[in-house]
Amino acid sequence: MPALRTALLQSSGELGDVAANLKVLDEAAARAAAAGAGLLLAPELFLTGYAIGADLARLAEPADGPSARAVAVIAARHGLAIGYGYPERDADQHGVLYNSAQLIGADGAPLAQYRKTHLFGDFELAWFTPGDRAVVQAELHGLTVGMMICYDVEFPENVRAHALAGTDLLLVPTALMHPAEIVPLSVVPVRAFENQLYIAYANRTGPEGDFEFVGLSTLAGPDGTPRARAGRGEDLVVGEVDPALLAASREENPYLRDRRPGLYGPLV
């Protein structure tokens, strides 16, 4: 099975301007496709911006809203799958907002929809309801692809749940702030290693309201090695998700085989 070339868009786009951010996404998709990528991942809340306060309620959309349809057109036009973050308004629960991420296939069809389960800080706790599904997956290019958002990846149990469910590539749209640089530099590669999967971690960058996003978007392999890493500014980096390397690494690394679940009951 050929490797899946994966592009990480590191950008904060335009605060509160969905149309402008769709344009940024379109341009990034064109560049990613030209580089041979079959998948593009954008950051957390990319379509609206992160630090938009009360505008969240105004700009939030259902999972199948107009922005989702616009992303589907972009994906189909450039022939690659796109994962991105956005604020979701639940169509069945008036006023309920989720910090969500969606994966759209290269044909424009929706593949997966995820709601952030571990909300971070006063801002998110004030505006969002936490999701209740830890493991959301889709099939893409012969790989089992999972989704979570930013803070979710910092919980070992969360990523281990994906490993046990067979996730090969974990997509993590992110809005990581200073001084938490340890997460892309150390935590994400370790999570990939201890769970024997790839992690694509696409961050925002620069100042936004009261926040300072640190960039450092990372594609980490199952050997704990970054396959692509951005700097601090706007960037688009590309790396390979190689099924052959993944299979070889899983054969060599015994972590998942050597687990003793009977001892872990007190953890939950």
Side-chain angles (χ1 to χ4, degrees):
M1 188 165 58
L4 172 61
R5 185 163 290 185
T6 300
L8 308 180
L9 172 60
Q10 180 164 288
S11 173
S12 290
E14 297 292 335
L15 193 63
D17 192 334
V18 174
N21 294 329
L22 286 168
K23 186 174 186 293
V24 172
L25 190 66
D26 191 19
E27 292 169 350
R31 292 166 56 200
L39 170 64
L40 170 66
L41 181 64
E44 181 177 3
L45 294 176
F46 180 73
L47 291 188
T48 59
Y50 187 91
I52 58 175
D55 272 350
L56 278 171
R58 178 176 63 86
L59 296 175
E61 298 181 17
D64 59 354
S67 291
R69 295 193 292 272
V71 175
V73 170
I74 293 170
R77 177 162 59 241
H78 299 291
L80 79 173
I82 298 177
Y84 65 97
Y86 72 104
E88 179 196 357
R89 180 188 304 110
D90 191 294
D92 299 320
Q93 303 177 70
H94 180 71
V96 175
L97 303 180
Y98 294 95
N99 184 339
S100 294
Q102 189 154 204
L103 178 64
I104 304 291
D107 60 355
L111 297 179
Q113 158 74 15
Y114 172 78
R115 294 167 170 173
K116 190 173 186 178
T117 54
H118 296 75
L119 300 178
F120 178 81
D122 293 341
F123 168 72
E124 292 188 19
L125 290 168
W127 286 103
F128 295 114
T129 296
D132 59 6
R133 289 183 62 198
V135 177
V136 171
Q137 296 171 312
E139 295 301 311
L140 183 68
H141 290 264
L143 297 168
T144 300
V145 177
M147 302 192 79
M148 57 178 58
I149 298 173
C150 196
Y151 194 40
D152 291 329
V153 80
E154 298 176 39
F155 292 82
E157 303 90 339
N158 231 23
V159 185
R160 180 53 54 88
H162 270 274
L164 296 178
T167 294
D168 300 312
L169 168 61
L170 185 58
L171 306 183
V172 189
T174 293
L176 184 80
M177 309 153 195
H178 178 77
E181 287 87 342
I182 190 174
V183 177
L185 294 177
S186 298
V187 173
V188 167
V190 168
R191 289 282 176 275
F193 178 70
E194 68 191 3
N195 290 290
Q196 289 300 289
L197 43 69
Y198 280 89
I199 298 179
Y201 185 87
N203 198 15
R204 306 179 70 83
T205 181
E208 190 176 315
D210 295 331
F211 306 110
E212 176 73 30
F213 300 110
V214 302
L216 301 173
S217 298
T218 301
L219 176 65
D223 56 358
T225 301
R227 300 293 162 175
R229 175 170 282 155
R232 299 285 186 144
E234 299 272 330
D235 209 345
L236 182 75
V237 295
V238 180
E240 304 283 346
V241 175
D242 185 354
L245 185 149
L246 182 60
S249 184
R250 286 172 169 173
E251 181 64 28
E252 182 177 336
N253 188 312
Y255 281 158
L256 297 181
R257 295 193 300 274
D258 289 350
R259 291 172 65 253
R260 296 182 61 193
L263 299 178
Y264 309 148
L267 289 176
V268 295

